[in-house]
């Protein structure tokens, strides 16, 4: 399902961002790409069990 | 004077050390060439003619006086414009920083120039602010591909790649958030190296996405990359991502070869390839077998999450970094970048967290794959290097959508990745493939790339400009 342009405009307005119609169309397309990618997570239910580490853990890299 | 345009650092260094080549004359030769070609290529945003010649004079005097610093001393190089450089405008390719003159240089720039004696010729163009893979910049000019100026060069390190392909310098810096060193290296037919996240400092790298950004280098020779990393790598206490690890001499054992190494090719990296890229890749795999490597087909299904996780991570972080400018002066951002940042500003916390979970899962999958193989291989870009299209902003997104899934896994997992040329397509444009290694296996990746280099995958005599 495609993101609604009016919804996107309101979301951006909530962030205090004035977007043009051209911006909105572009954002809609980018979100579509992300959404299609996100749907693939359904094939990997185990991902939901992963720890959240907000970056690659540098200690782990150093000891790898 | 001999034309040194396509000489490598490795070739130039002994000539400079012995006094046979003057750093001043060499620098002047590259400055003249930049003057001749840059209007067409848009490789440099800022050319530092006076400063470069002054530093070259100092280098020449120091070398004459017996104070030779090593193989970068007196070598002209280019620095990507998202590296802060003291007293020199550092725009990151955006009008937002058009008049930004830093008070300090980034550690990587300092190590290469002040510490190792390289001569900074100028600051290199990039896809505006960094979040782009095409090399488009409506402010400082879209960078053109020296192999055919009707074609893009890739990004974001577009000026870096064009500089090397056009023989405007033998060595350049670059940065890599979702492929920004490797994509342009592939399209320019040069070597581009994104190290393990944290091996090189990101201090003074104008940020795009802090957890994905890495700094690195590009060159036309693998040994030149090894020389560059001998200088640029190392711990930076001011960078919270920086790794406090011992840095080996990357030039040692560079000719070790790849006999007995196992190279894994995930099926993911064979999907959706242009037929010419596929053929070049298959031929390259055969050559690697001939060099003594064992090739193994492997599966890393988690790679299918890379596009979502990479885009969500990069855009969320970049959107947060530039939220104020999006609110107050959105017109300062290029059309495509503005929309990407806007997208990042409205992605949800849930999506960001899911992306980090996918990132952890992908990292674990890579680590597991490296239990069975020494190196992972795949094409750097799945398509032929495209020609410029009229709607550059939409083309920018097309290019990102195609290349990011192949390149961002290295940024997400933090592993090093080195893109090498794999020949020319039927239009005479380069294609590339990338080797991924375990964390901190830079030395091994350079050995693999050096072995590959012996197959002579590219000939710069074919560059058209």
């Amino acid at each position: 399902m495609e993101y609604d342009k009016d919804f996107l405009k309101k979301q951006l307005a909530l962030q205090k961002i004035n977007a043009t119609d051209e911006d909105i169309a572009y954002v809609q397309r980018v979100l579509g790409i992300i959404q299609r990618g996100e749907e693939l997570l359904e094939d990997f239910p185990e991902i939901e069990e992963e720890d959240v580490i907000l970056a690659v853990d540098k200690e782990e890299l150093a000891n790898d | 004077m001999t034309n040194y345009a396509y000489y490598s650092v490795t070739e130039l260094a002994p000539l400079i050390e012995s006094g046979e080549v003057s750093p001043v004359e060499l620098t002047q030769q590259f400055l003249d060439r930049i003057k001749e070609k840059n209007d067409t290529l848009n490789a440099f945003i800022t050319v530092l003619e006076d400063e470069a010649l002054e530093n070259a004079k100092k280098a020449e005097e120091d070398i004459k006086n017996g104070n030779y610093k090593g193989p970068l001393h007196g070598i002209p190089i280019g620095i990507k414009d998202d590296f802060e450089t003291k007293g020199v405008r550092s725009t990151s390719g955006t009008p937002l920083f058009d008049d930004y003159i830093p008070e300090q240089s980034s550690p990587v720039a300092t190590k290469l120039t002040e510490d190792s004696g390289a001569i900074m010729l100028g600051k290199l163009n990039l896809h505006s602010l960094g979040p782009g893979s095409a090399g488009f910049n409506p402010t400082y000019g879209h960078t053109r591909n020296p192999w055919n100026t009707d074609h893009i060069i890739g990004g974001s390190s577009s000026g870096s790649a064009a500089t090397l392909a056009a023989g405007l310098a033998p060595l350049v810096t670059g940065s890599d958030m979702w492929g920004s060193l490797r994509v342009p290296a592939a399209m320019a037919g040069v070597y581009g190296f994104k190290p393990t996240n944290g091996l090189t400092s990101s201090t003074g790298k104008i940020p795009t996405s802090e957890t994905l950004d890495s700094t690195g280098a590009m060159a036309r020779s693998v040994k030149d990359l090894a020389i560059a990393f001998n200088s640029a790598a190392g711990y930076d206490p001011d960078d919270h991502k920086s790794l406090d690890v011992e840095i080996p001499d990357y030039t040692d054992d560079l000719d070790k070869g790849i006999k007995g190494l196992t190279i894994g090719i995930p099926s993911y990296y064979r999907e959706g390839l242009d037929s010419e890229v596929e053929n070049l890749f298959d031929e390259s795999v055969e050559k690697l077998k001939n060099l003594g490597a064992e090739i193994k087909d492997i599966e890393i299904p988690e790679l299918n999450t890379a596009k979502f996780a990479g885009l969500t991570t990069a855009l969320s972080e970049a959107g947060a970094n530039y939220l104020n400018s999006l609110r107050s002066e959105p017109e300062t951002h290029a059309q495509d970048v503005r929309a990407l940042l806007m997208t990042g500003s409205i992605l949800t916390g849930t999506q960001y967290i899911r992306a980090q979970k996918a990132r952890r899962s992908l990292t674990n999958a890579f680590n597991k794959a490296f239990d069975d193989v020494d190196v992972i291989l795949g094409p750097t870009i799945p398509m032929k290097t495209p020609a410029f299209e009229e709607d550059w902003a939409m083309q920018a997104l097309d290019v990102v959508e195609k290349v990011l899934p192949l390149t961002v896994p290295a940024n997400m997992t933090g592993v090093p990745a080195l893109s090498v040329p794999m020949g020319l397509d039927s239009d005479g444009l380069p294609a590339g493939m990338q080797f991924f290694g375990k964390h901190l296996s830079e030395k091994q990746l350079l050995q693999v790339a050096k072995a590959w280099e012996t197959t002579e995958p590219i000939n710069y005599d074919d560059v058209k400009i």
Side-chain angles (χ1 to χ4, degrees):
Chain A
M1 193 174 74
E2 200 169 55
Y3 281 86
D4 178 75
K5 286 184 179 173
D6 287 336
F7 170 77
L8 293 177
K9 192 156 195 163
K10 283 175 191 163
Q11 288 292 102
L12 287 163
L14 283 170
Q15 291 286 358
K16 300 178 187 166
I17 295 169
N18 287 318
T20 65
D21 290 345
E22 200 175 30
D23 292 332
I24 301 284
Y26 206 108
V27 170
Q28 184 186 43
R29 196 166 159 206
V30 180
L31 282 171
I33 295 169
I34 291 173
Q35 188 181 28
R36 288 192 292 279
E38 191 170 9
E39 285 165 5
L40 296 177
L41 293 190
E42 288 170 16
D43 296 337
F44 303 91
E46 68 280 6
I47 284 177
E48 301 300 335
E49 307 302 320
E50 290 287 353
D51 294 332
V52 177
I53 297 174
L54 295 178
V56 174
D57 187 298
K58 72 174 189 176
E59 297 302 326
E60 185 179 333
L61 295 193
N63 295 325
D64 194 9
Chain B
M1 189 183 179
T2 306
N3 181 354
Y4 293 110
Y6 287 95
Y7 273 54
S8 64
V9 174
T10 305
E11 290 167 324
L12 288 168
L15 300 176
I16 289 173
E17 186 182 12
S18 67
E20 195 175 325
V21 168
S22 147
V24 175
E25 288 177 18
L26 185 66
T27 300
Q28 187 63 61
Q29 190 179 99
F30 280 116
L31 288 168
D32 291 344
R33 198 169 163 86
I34 292 166
K35 204 174 281 180
E36 183 192 335
K37 314 262 184 210
N38 196 48
D39 283 350
T40 304
L41 294 174
N42 295 316
F44 283 73
I45 290 177
T46 303
V47 180
L48 298 165
E49 187 161 4
D50 293 343
E51 295 91 332
L53 288 170
E54 194 178 312
N55 288 327
K57 265 181 211 161
K58 187 173 182 319
E60 195 161 316
E61 283 166 17
D62 286 347
I63 294 166
K64 270 186 190 158
N65 292 331
N67 299 316
Y68 183 63
K69 292 180 174 179
L72 290 175
H73 204 171
I75 301 284
I77 66 168
I79 303 282
K80 187 178 177 182
D81 211 22
D82 61 353
F83 287 67
E84 293 179 345
T85 42
K86 183 180 177 182
V88 176
R89 186 174 72 141
S90 303
T91 70
S92 201
T94 164
L96 194 62
F97 299 123
D98 192 46
D99 55 0
Y100 175 46
I101 299 178
E103 292 179 0
Q104 297 294 330
S105 287
S106 67
V108 169
T110 301
K111 285 178 173 187
L112 292 169
T113 56
E114 287 179 36
D115 297 352
S116 302
I119 311 299
M120 178 167 58
L121 292 167
K123 301 298 293 293
L124 301 168
N125 201 358
L126 62 152
H127 195 108
S128 187
L129 195 61
S133 303
F136 293 152
N137 194 314
T139 305
Y140 303 106
H142 301 334
T143 310
R144 295 184 172 275
N145 196 320
W147 292 85
N148 182 336
T149 54
D150 291 334
H151 289 248
I152 71 169
I153 187 78
S156 67
S157 308
S158 54
S160 306
T163 290
L164 291 173
L168 307 183
L171 179 70
V172 293
T173 68
S175 55
D176 195 315
M177 173 184 77
W178 63 37
S180 290
L181 272 158
R182 290 161 287 149
V183 172
M187 292 186 184
V190 302
Y191 296 83
F193 199 5
K194 176 215 117 35
T196 303
N197 293 12
L199 183 76
T200 51
S201 172
S202 289
T203 301
K205 189 270 170 199
I206 295 172
T208 312
S209 160
E210 283 95 338
T211 73
L212 296 178
D213 284 340
S214 282
T215 55
M218 280 186 219
R220 291 186 302 267
S221 135
V222 175
K223 189 168 181 188
D224 288 4
L225 280 181
I227 290 169
F229 275 86
N230 275 352
S231 170
Y235 180 58
D236 170 15
D238 294 329
D239 176 4
H240 67 92
K241 293 188 300 181
S242 185
L243 298 176
D244 190 1
V245 293
E246 194 176 330
I247 306 300
D249 182 342
Y250 294 113
T251 60
D252 271 357
D253 297 326
L254 204 51
D255 293 313
K256 189 177 178 186
I258 58 171
K259 201 168 181 183
L261 281 190
T262 305
I263 298 177
I265 303 176
S267 59
Y268 174 87
Y269 277 97
R270 290 190 181 278
E271 293 164 6
L273 302 180
D274 173 273
S275 60
E276 286 192 38
V277 173
E278 189 175 14
N279 289 340
L280 284 167
F281 186 62
D282 287 343
E283 289 167 15
S284 301
V285 169
E286 287 306 309
K287 288 178 187 171
L288 288 166
K289 282 183 191 168
N290 293 337
L291 289 169
E294 182 192 339
I295 304 295
K296 190 171 178 178
D297 292 324
I298 61 173
E299 297 297 332
I300 306 180
E302 292 83 353
L303 280 164
N304 289 301
T305 68
K307 181 154 63 173
F308 159 72
L311 268 177
T312 299
T313 303
L315 298 186
S316 297
E317 294 179 6
N321 280 332
Y322 294 97
L323 184 58
N324 286 340
S325 62
L326 274 182
R327 288 172 172 166
S328 60
E329 42 184 346
E331 69 285 352
T332 57
H333 291 290
Q335 186 189 339
D336 62 324
V337 173
R338 184 170 67 237
L340 291 175
L341 296 175
M342 286 180 178
T343 306
S345 77
I346 58 171
L347 286 168
T348 67
T350 303
Q351 284 174 305
Y352 186 79
I353 294 299
R354 294 189 90 196
Q356 303 321 301
K357 285 173 176 268
R359 181 177 190 168
R360 174 57 38 187
S361 168
L362 182 60
T363 304
N364 291 340
F366 259 63
N367 288 340
K368 194 173 165 205
F370 283 125
D371 287 342
D372 295 326
V373 301
D374 299 296
V375 171
I376 291 172
L377 173 66
T380 309
I381 53 174
M383 75 294 199
K384 293 167 68 177
T385 296
F388 285 97
E389 293 173 9
E390 199 171 326
D391 188 346
W392 65 267
M394 280 301 172
Q395 187 181 15
L397 185 56
D398 279 341
V399 175
V400 167
E401 191 176 7
K402 284 176 181 156
V403 305
L404 175 142
L406 273 59
T407 48
V408 82
N411 309 84
M412 297 298 288
T413 61
V415 302
L418 202 167
S419 181
V420 303
M422 65 172 186
L424 302 180
D425 64 26
S426 60
D427 295 328
L429 273 297
M433 62 182 182
Q434 54 187 334
F435 295 102
F436 303 88
K438 297 173 192 173
H439 294 131
L440 296 171
S441 68
E442 278 75 10
K443 191 161 180 161
Q444 184 180 54
L445 276 192
L446 286 162
Q447 289 166 347
V448 171
K450 186 71 168 62
W452 171 251
E453 192 178 32
T454 63
T455 68
E456 299 180 358
I458 204 88
N459 184 346
Y460 300 105
D461 291 342
D462 296 330
V463 176
K464 299 292 189 297
I465 193 160

